[in-house]
Amino acid sequence: MAISRLGDNMAFEYINKNGDRKPKIKPNIENLSNFKKDFNWEEVFEEIPWLPGGGLNNAYVCIDSHVDSGNGNNVAMIWNGKNDEEETYTFNDLKVHTDKFANVLKELGVCKGDRVFVFMDRLPECYISVFGGLKIGAIVGPLFSAFGPDPVKDRMVDSEAKILVTQPELRKKIEGIIPDLPDLEKIIVVNKNNRTDDPLVDDDLSYEDLMSSTIPIESIENTSQYDYSIMHYTSGTTGKPKGALHRHQSIVQQYATGKWALDFQKDDIYWCTADPGWVTGTSYGMFAPWSSGITQIIYEGGFSASKWYSVIEKYNVNVWYTAPTAIRMLMKAGEAPIKKNDLSSLRFIASVGEPLNPEAVVWGNENYGMPIHDNWWQTETGAIMCANLSSMQIRPGSMGLPIPGIELAILDKDLKRLPPNEPGILAVKPGWPSQFFAYWKNDERYNSRFKRGWYITGDEAFMDEDGYFWFQGRSDDVINTAGHLVSPFEVESALIEHKAVAEAGVIGIPDKLAMEVVKAFVSLNNGFEWSKELRLELMKFSRGKLSSAVAPRDIDYVEIMPKTRSGKIMRRLLKARELGLPEGDTSTLEDD
Ligand code: AMP
């Protein structure tokens, strides 16, 4: 079968800034460079600091263990606020704050296994809340701060969250759904630097007051490696998003991949641009760097090429982990903002979330003096699974090789292995340390992801003759916009709440920057007519419910929504029609 392989004919050689032609082999991956078949995760399990009581807790690994080993004065986080405020936290500082916040939660009656949700911008208190929650064994659910009320409600209702930690502007945004959260007991409001005059409403509690009147918790909950730690909701094609649950054990792979795939070295300054509301923002914006004891830059603001480069220069960032959409935007901004800044501190750049165009890898080499290392993983895998490691030759457009200890395969429809260069289902051999262990209250869905001894990723790819993996696309209708997975079902559900809308079908259409953008098609209820005004009203309506990150970029009218005989909307057909592609098999299409 002929395959068009991104970057196939591009000769590519790693040339670092000093003109060295060979990639540097880092000592910490030297013994792994042959991808030993007999690699055993036990080696990494042994490197991780376990709790004095014998358990494993991510907050201990990431914070307290550094204090215990005499490195408490090392800087853990430098926060750069959107008003250019700056705060520096050592591991000692983080210990003090998280010990106190853990006690705040304990005093509020939060117990091991309770769900604590954090809906906050990238503020230091977001990180303190997450680790404070982990210290008492709570399951912490970070929420993307750009979400509108509906996604927050769906996630908090489903998870039966007991506590919400948020900030005044975000509290206000979701005010309307608070009465619909039956399990919510308390809202804790962080009024960072008194940015808001009158931050508290109803029975809300002030974070600052609670913290000033509490004492540090006596000890960290002796969680086991199998206890749940973090939950991230992830989008499927049918039904509402599902809460993928991770266990404290995930830290083992997050720690290892920080070193192997992000090249973490002692004294590194690291910047991960992902938001903690998505899995990259926790696995690699919290756990991987802090388990390695390195310094993180947390930049509160949004994307701006010149600002981003100035962050790198100001803080001497060595390792930078970002996403293809951001890289494409940086490419668009061109050389001028690069030249205005000194980026010589950069040593390693990596990217995740979407396919990284081969041109971007080469562009990185030309403009930053080093290529961009693509890697692949997903919410359910909890950590990097496949990567272009610093020690290996990059194949631009490829996601790289499976990391040691991980087996990936390409399967056909009967779940049999395909030979090299044949595209098929990307699957993982279960049992990796950072594997998700449940979808919250949805065993059926969880079990459906495992077939014949494989975890089915939902992605399609192929493997070349040297074992490199190449992404081909999703095997379902989930939309990947700017690296964020959007469930068409979630958007359709919001649209049909409008009185004019009878049915909605939502698809992703290609976009140069964001890879895909969300487009909706609606049919109307009797008595409503399609018009420019109605289109705008629906756009506003969906944005108000979902946020602009998730809401459709465009809405069109269809007189009859194409559906299968069993009543399912044929999104694939909507997409084929929109893009002028062959409609494929329409034999299950409804007759009328
Ligand atoms: P999420 O679970 O939200 O982190 O999204 C995971 C999905 O993003 C994967 O299943 C892929 O569809 C996509 N993805 C992540 N990394 C890559 C990559 N390096 N290349 C192509 N697609 C990717």
Side-chain angles (χ1 to χ4, degrees):
M1 168 169 234
I3 292 171
S4 78
R5 185 187 299 178
L6 293 166
D8 209 8
N9 297 319
M10 299 170 75
F12 189 80
E13 204 173 8
Y14 181 104
I15 305 174
N16 71 16
K17 280 181 296 188
N18 307 325
D20 296 339
R21 299 217 147 238
K22 276 192 179 167
K24 285 184 254 169
I25 306 274
K26 302 295 181 297
N28 54 26
I29 53 168
E30 217 161 18
N31 59 348
L32 297 165
S33 57
N34 294 329
F35 297 100
K36 291 189 299 180
K37 286 256 175 341
D38 59 352
F39 169 81
N40 194 330
W41 281 109
E42 260 174 52
E43 293 174 24
V44 189
F45 271 77
E46 278 162 24
E47 260 184 72
I48 295 287
W50 292 68
L51 283 168
L56 186 67
N57 187 293
N58 290 182
Y60 182 75
V61 179
C62 291
I63 301 174
D64 294 36
S65 71
H66 303 302
V67 176
D68 288 356
S69 62
N71 294 313
N73 285 328
N74 289 356
V75 174
M77 158 163 74
I78 303 175
W79 175 72
N80 186 190
K82 63 179 179 202
N83 305 322
D84 229 10
E85 311 97 309
E86 194 175 287
E87 289 176 9
T88 299
Y89 294 77
T90 62
F91 287 100
N92 279 334
D93 297 331
L94 280 188
K95 174 167 166 49
V96 171
H97 288 287
T98 53
D99 277 355
K100 283 168 87 178
F101 193 67
N103 208 40
V104 163
L105 293 175
K106 196 174 170 197
E107 284 168 346
L108 291 174
V110 179
C111 299
K112 182 175 168 190
D114 285 344
R115 273 75 58 214
V116 171
F117 271 56
V118 181
F119 183 44
M120 221 186 287
D121 287 331
R122 286 183 294 270
L123 300 176
E125 290 73 10
C126 170
Y127 299 79
I128 292 165
S129 305
V130 169
F131 282 98
L134 294 174
K135 281 193 166 176
I136 55 159
I139 300 172
V140 182
L143 291 167
F144 185 36
S145 62
F147 274 154
D150 280 19
V152 174
K153 177 176 150 189
D154 289 345
R155 287 155 177 80
M156 290 195 60
V157 168
D158 183 68
S159 63
E160 298 154 330
K162 205 165 165 177
I163 301 280
L164 176 66
V165 195
T166 186
Q167 63 195 76
E169 319 85 279
L170 301 183
R171 162 72 163 92
K172 198 163 174 215
K173 179 161 78 167
I174 57 163
E175 196 156 61
I177 59 141
I178 304 287
D180 304 332
L181 306 176
D183 302 290
L184 182 66
E185 291 176 10
K186 284 290 168 216
I187 302 179
I188 302 176
V189 178
V190 173
N191 189 17
K192 182 77 189 162
N193 298 342
N194 294 316
R195 283 180 186 173
T196 305
D197 286 343
D198 194 7
L200 298 184
V201 284
D202 302 335
D203 295 331
D204 290 0
L205 301 170
S206 152
Y207 172 91
E208 290 76 18
D209 290 353
L210 291 167
M211 289 290 270
S212 63
S213 60
T214 194
I215 52 163
I217 200 160
E218 260 171 41
S219 62
I220 293 181
E221 178 74 33
N222 191 26
T223 43
S224 91
Q225 58 184 319
Y226 305 119
D227 283 324
Y228 293 132
S229 51
I230 285 280
M231 95 196 275
H232 276 289
Y233 274 79
T234 178
S235 300
T237 339
T238 53
K240 300 267 184 186
K242 286 121 196 128
L245 280 154
H246 287 281
R247 308 182 300 176
H248 282 272
Q249 184 188 276
S250 301
I251 196 93
V252 169
Q253 195 173 332
Q254 290 154 353
Y255 166 78
T257 48
K259 295 196 185 299
W260 301 337
L262 300 182
D263 198 43
F264 289 165
Q265 295 179 39
K266 196 175 167 293
D267 302 329
D268 268 347
I269 312 274
Y270 163 71
W271 183 28
C272 169
T273 61
D275 190 274
W278 304 98
V279 73
T280 308
T282 52
S283 295
Y284 294 94
M286 296 183 187
F287 303 128
W290 284 338
S291 59
S292 279
I294 62 169
T295 304
Q296 282 214 79
I297 303 304
I298 309 291
Y299 170 58
E300 187 191 358
F303 177 83
S304 140
S306 54
K307 181 67 198 175
W308 275 30
Y309 290 137
S310 71
V311 167
I312 294 172
E313 174 175 329
K314 182 170 182 196
Y315 298 106
N316 291 309
V317 171
N318 309 119
V319 180
W320 183 26
Y321 194 23
T322 188
T325 294
I327 293 165
R328 288 190 288 270
M329 296 201 295
L330 292 166
M331 286 168 77
K332 201 169 161 213
E335 279 177 31
I338 300 179
K339 289 201 170 130
K340 282 196 193 132
N341 291 278
D342 176 2
L343 306 183
S344 60
S345 59
L346 279 176
R347 189 189 71 243
F348 193 82
I349 311 176
S351 145
V352 72
E354 314 151 55
L356 181 66
N357 338 24
E359 307 78 47
V361 180
V362 176
W363 185 86
N365 206 44
E366 281 162 5
N367 289 276
Y368 303 136
M370 69 202 75
I372 299 164
H373 297 73
D374 187 21
N375 54 58
W376 176 93
W377 59 292
Q378 50 178 208
T379 302
E380 287 86 346
T381 71
I384 294 170
M385 306 292 274
C386 187
N388 289 280
L389 305 186
S390 65
S391 61
M392 62 191 235
Q393 194 95 12
I394 291 184
R395 296 199 173 172
S398 155
M399 314 189 287
L401 297 169
I403 62 156
I406 296 297
E407 187 179 348
L408 298 184
I410 304 295
L411 309 177
D412 67 11
K413 280 199 186 106
D414 301 321
L415 305 176
K416 302 238 165 60
R417 267 184 208 264
L418 282 167
N421 294 327
E422 293 275 344
I425 298 163
L426 177 64
V428 186
K429 190 58 90 189
W432 65 97
S434 61
Q435 183 182 315
F436 77 127
F437 236 70
Y439 284 123
W440 182 253
K441 294 194 300 182
N442 202 336
D443 287 348
E444 198 185 325
R445 176 78 188 136
Y446 179 77
N447 292 335
S448 76
R449 300 295 302 261
F450 296 86
K451 292 185 180 142
R452 296 222 186 156
W454 290 102
Y455 163 71
I456 308 298
T457 64
D459 284 349
E460 286 176 0
F462 70 90
M463 185 186 75
D464 66 20
E465 45 292 320
D466 298 321
Y468 283 68
F469 282 77
W470 302 74
F471 183 81
Q472 296 283 281
R474 292 282 309 179
S475 54
D476 55 22
D477 296 332
V478 171
I479 301 158
N480 188 332
T481 181
H484 301 148
L485 293 195
V486 173
S487 150
F489 180 86
E490 199 173 9
V491 182
E492 289 159 4
S493 307
L495 279 167
I496 56 174
E497 281 185 38
H498 190 282
K499 59 184 185 307
V501 178
E503 286 170 317
V506 168
I507 59 168
I509 53 170
D511 182 79
K512 270 196 182 141
L513 278 184
M515 186 169 128
E516 286 188 299
V517 290
V518 178
K519 171 149 191 181
F521 294 88
V522 293
S523 63
L524 300 181
N525 283 318
N526 285 338
F528 290 92
E529 293 239 338
W530 187 244
S531 63
K532 265 191 208 156
E533 292 70 34
L534 181 57
R535 179 179 166 278
L536 286 178
E537 189 182 318
L538 291 178
M539 302 272 282
K540 198 170 156 215
F541 177 80
S542 53
R543 234 172 255 158
K545 290 177 89 55
L546 298 165
S547 85
S548 51
V550 178
R553 194 74 78 76
D554 191 15
I555 304 182
D556 242 337
Y557 166 72
V558 281
E559 198 179 333
I560 297 165
M561 189 63 68
K563 282 188 288 177
T564 61
R565 292 209 180 93
S566 62
K568 276 192 195 150
I569 290 169
M570 292 183 87
R571 299 184 186 117
R572 210 157 292 193
L573 192 59
L574 284 171
K575 192 161 179 166
R577 288 178 182 168
E578 172 71 14
L579 302 179
L581 300 171
E583 295 195 358
D585 180 9
T586 53
S587 57
T588 57
L589 189 65
E590 252 183 1
D591 296 334
D592 53 347

